[in-house]
Amino acid sequence: MAEMSDSNLAKTTVIQQAIASCCGAIITSLFVTPLDVIKTRLQAQSNPFYKGKCFVYSNGLMDHICVCDNGDSKAWYKKPGHFKGMLDAFVKITQREGVKSLWSGLPPTLIMALPTTVIYFTCYDQLSEALKSRLGKDDEHIPILAGSLSRFGSVTIVSPLELIRTRMQFRKFSYRQLYLCISSKVASDGWLSLWRGWSSTVLRDVPFSAMYWYNYEHFKKILCKELGTHEPTFFIAFASGAASGSIASVITLPFDVVKTHRQTELWECETLKSAVPQRDSTSTWAVMRKIVAKNGITGLFAGIIPRLFKVAPACAIMISTYEYGKSFFSHLNGKMSQHP
């Protein structure tokens, strides 16, 4: 991002912000998905997936619950392989199955992840602008408020769609069957049943978002000052995104552990036709107590290294490509306003 004077910059439109976030989302998923595909293959090797077993798949933008189906023996996560570790798995999968295998399962998850990311980033920018005009440009509460509200909104919109996607993936429903299934579920359990698992997602994502944006804006300001630039360069955005993403992911890790536990348990109960646990036993705090009783306090921080390896690069790539896209449109708008 070449530095230009403020007079050459113009505000980006909502459509331009949406395009920038969409491009950032695609680039992020292309870089991060192979890490999760390898992790899932190693997981399946040590503990084979049975029918109805659930696992979490991440494309770097959001987590998805995947439900195994024995009928589909050719599924990417069931392919045989004897891997000694991540690097060995990377080499063997590339050699035996082709490079494309590293992006297995990506297309269906992008259908959910792209709109979520576009809503989230565009809302953040729009809310930030609105809050700046009311609270003042340098108010430190703006990233916290804008980050929390935009994440809350995107999670609430996408939560029922993700539930529908998971059900379609496991049951192989036609659209008519899906409609009948959802109608009967709403009739028996009410509309709120479509937001099952929403609370654990919000408890993880909203604090994450508040901390992430607060730290990102803070680090960005410090680095811009140190390097004497008015506009964040690609490096500044990348470094600020990685640092703020790492801090937020470590602090919210207990909620991530609980969310994964709750969602996989609920889906396994449904697919294996076993009794769905009582709401009291699946509440966030009940699950936390259960994990602490079984594994101690360290159980709430299980998988900290893999989460950092996934979240830090994902946050860094997403925010730097998004800022780059906005900078491109900003310069373009500036030039167009000078030469109508």
Side-chain angles (χ1 to χ4, degrees):
M1 270 182 268
E3 190 193 336
M4 289 181 75
S5 63
D6 290 346
S7 60
N8 286 341
L9 295 174
K11 279 185 180 176
T12 49
T13 64
V14 176
I15 301 294
Q16 288 171 340
Q17 288 165 2
I19 294 167
S21 56
C22 193
C23 293
I26 292 165
I27 292 165
T28 303
S29 60
L30 289 175
F31 272 98
V32 179
T33 298
L35 297 172
D36 218 58
V37 167
I38 291 167
K39 184 208 79 178
T40 304
R41 294 287 293 273
L42 288 168
Q43 198 180 327
Q45 178 181 282
S46 58
N47 190 11
F49 295 143
Y50 52 82
K51 184 177 180 178
K53 169 76 178 169
C54 296
F55 66 92
V56 177
Y57 172 97
S58 172
N59 54 22
L61 303 167
M62 64 187 284
D63 295 337
H64 303 271
I65 293 288
C66 288
V67 189
C68 300
D69 179 4
N70 265 4
D72 189 5
S73 58
K74 291 180 181 175
W76 64 269
Y77 49 82
K78 289 199 173 158
K79 287 181 181 172
H82 301 285
F83 313 123
K84 292 169 189 167
M86 286 200 80
L87 190 63
D88 184 52
F90 177 83
V91 172
K92 284 180 179 171
I93 291 168
T94 308
Q95 284 176 346
R96 294 174 191 169
E97 300 165 29
V99 177
K100 269 171 68 179
S101 288
L102 294 171
W103 287 274
S104 303
L106 176 61
T109 64
L110 276 183
I111 294 164
M112 302 303 311
L114 285 180
T116 310
T117 309
V118 169
I119 293 166
Y120 176 39
F121 277 81
T122 309
C123 282
Y124 174 79
D125 269 339
Q126 292 299 309
L127 282 166
S128 291
E129 284 301 314
L131 288 166
K132 276 174 189 173
S133 62
R134 283 176 176 256
L135 303 173
K137 198 180 173 185
D138 298 318
D139 193 300
E140 289 196 340
H141 297 101
I142 290 171
I144 298 170
L145 286 167
S148 302
L149 289 168
S150 54
R151 196 65 188 170
F152 183 88
S154 62
V155 166
T156 304
I157 292 165
V158 173
S159 198
L161 301 175
E162 177 64 4
L163 189 89
I164 291 163
R165 188 199 71 86
T166 312
R167 185 163 275 122
M168 272 191 92
Q169 178 225 341
F170 179 66
R171 297 275 168 84
K172 306 282 191 292
F173 278 159
S174 68
Y175 285 106
R176 178 166 168 73
Q177 289 171 318
L178 183 70
Y179 171 75
L180 293 170
C181 173
I182 291 164
S183 301
S184 62
K185 187 160 183 63
V186 169
S188 61
D189 302 332
W191 281 101
L192 287 177
S193 62
L194 294 179
W195 278 268
R196 192 180 69 178
W198 171 87
S199 60
S200 55
T201 308
V202 163
L203 274 170
R204 181 195 67 174
D205 287 4
V206 171
F208 179 96
S209 193
M211 280 182 273
Y212 171 76
W213 286 108
Y214 175 79
N215 286 318
Y216 173 72
E217 298 290 358
H218 183 65
F219 292 145
K220 185 171 79 171
K221 205 180 281 182
I222 290 170
L223 287 172
C224 281
K225 198 175 175 182
E226 286 290 318
L227 297 171
T229 175
H230 294 292
E231 191 192 356
T233 60
F234 188 88
F235 166 75
I236 288 172
F238 192 92
S240 303
S244 50
S246 300
I247 292 165
S249 65
V250 169
I251 294 169
T252 58
L253 186 63
F255 292 111
D256 183 59
V257 172
V258 169
K259 177 188 179 287
T260 304
H261 187 282
R262 277 186 73 184
Q263 288 200 319
T264 51
E265 185 180 55
L266 282 164
W267 275 106
E268 283 174 9
C269 285
E270 180 165 318
T271 54
L272 299 170
K273 298 283 183 264
S274 53
V276 175
Q278 292 296 307
R279 182 163 177 78
D280 291 344
S281 68
T282 61
S283 75
T284 299
W285 310 115
V287 172
M288 274 189 172
R289 284 197 297 273
K290 201 191 293 181
I291 292 167
V292 170
K294 190 179 176 184
N295 304 314
I297 202 82
T298 53
L300 292 174
F301 290 90
I304 191 164
I305 302 300
R307 181 155 158 81
L308 276 174
F309 267 106
K310 180 172 70 182
V311 174
C315 286
I317 296 163
M318 180 64 216
I319 197 67
S320 51
T321 48
Y322 178 61
E323 291 277 21
Y324 186 89
K326 283 201 303 175
S327 175
F328 169 80
F329 285 122
S330 187
H331 290 129
L332 188 70
N333 294 349
K335 283 176 187 172
M336 286 174 75
S337 64
Q338 286 175 352
H339 307 285

